[in-house]
Amino acid sequence: MASTSHLTILTGASRGMGLAMAEQLLDAGHELLCISRKTNDALTARAQARGLRLEQWPQDLARPDAAAAKLETWLAAHGEGDLAGVTLINNAGVIPTIAPVGDIAAADLSQALRVGLEAPMLLTGAFLRATVAWKCQRKVLNISSGLGRRAMASQAAYCAAKAGMDHFTRCVALEEEQRGRHGAKVCSLAPGVIDTDMQVQLRSADPDRFPDVGNFQGMKSRGMLTSPAEAAARVLAFLAREDFGANAVADVRG
């Protein structure tokens, strides 16, 4: 009988859509490794109740080299075993001070790019190296944003990180195509507009420094935001599609 077990590695799993994805992956029976700044006790209890293996690393992704090295070592020790599939979901991201780029401290800009772009690049490289000989299905899902495809004032770091993630994913997709049927399937996916702490940040910004603040306030007042649980379900349904990876850059609403 073919194995149905799956291993998913998920960053930014302690809150928001990341937490909702972690909960739904556990409910679906996945073995889970979560990499976040903080661990979540409720996730641990959920996994224990289902008899599933869950590991949570309290890892600062502003140190992506350390996180990537740890992941590569962990995957090598874990081995493929009888897995039917292994997936990396790069979900973590941060918005620095919402202001014109000249008003943002260099350290804040650096952190946003390390967490939002450098970490996904390094973790993807570690994941692909560690699993290159595995015969099971391999996938990389990078959580992008519409702001990676549309410029916005006072969002330079976030927009740049997501645009970089999109183009990075295009490059990796071309590389993995060269491996034929052994290549990983990769996609950079915009998940829609989600009612998370990040949206609270945007709605609460100073209008004098963030000219688009009214648009975000309007989306909230008109009920246009998706709940984290609903967004997670849509993203995971997209991940499960037979044609996942057919387009390296996609939007869950498309």
Side-chain angles (χ1 to χ4, degrees), residues 1-7 29 31 80-86 136-137:
M1 182 180 296
S3 173
T4 59
S5 60
H6 291 265
L7 166 64
E31 178 184 344
E80 179 180 7
D82 64 350
L83 288 173
V86 58
C136 66
Q137 186 177 60

Side-chain angles (χ1 to χ4, degrees), residues 32 45 65 67 71 122 138 140 157 207:
L32 200 56
D65 51 343
L71 176 61
L122 269 60
R138 298 182 300 142
V140 177

Side-chain angles (χ1 to χ4, degrees), residues 18 26 41 114 158 247:
L26 287 173
D41 292 341
R114 284 182 174 176
Y158 188 77
N247 294 310

Side-chain angles (χ1 to χ4, degrees), residues 184-209:
K185 301 297 183 183
V186 301
C187 180
S188 187
L189 181 69
V193 187
I194 309 163
D195 200 1
T196 62
D197 291 344
M198 192 173 288
Q199 282 291 314
V200 175
Q201 279 182 269
L202 294 166
R203 292 196 300 271
S204 304
D206 181 351
D208 291 335
R209 307 180 87 190

Side-chain angles (χ1 to χ4, degrees), residues 71-76 79 124-134 138:
L71 176 61
E72 190 167 355
T73 300
W74 186 88
L75 284 167
T124 298
F127 173 83
L128 293 174
R129 279 192 302 276
T131 62
V132 66
W134 294 16
R138 298 182 300 142

Side-chain angles (χ1 to χ4, degrees), residues 153-165:
S154 298
Q155 285 294 297
Y158 188 77
C159 288
K162 295 304 185 182
M165 176 181 280

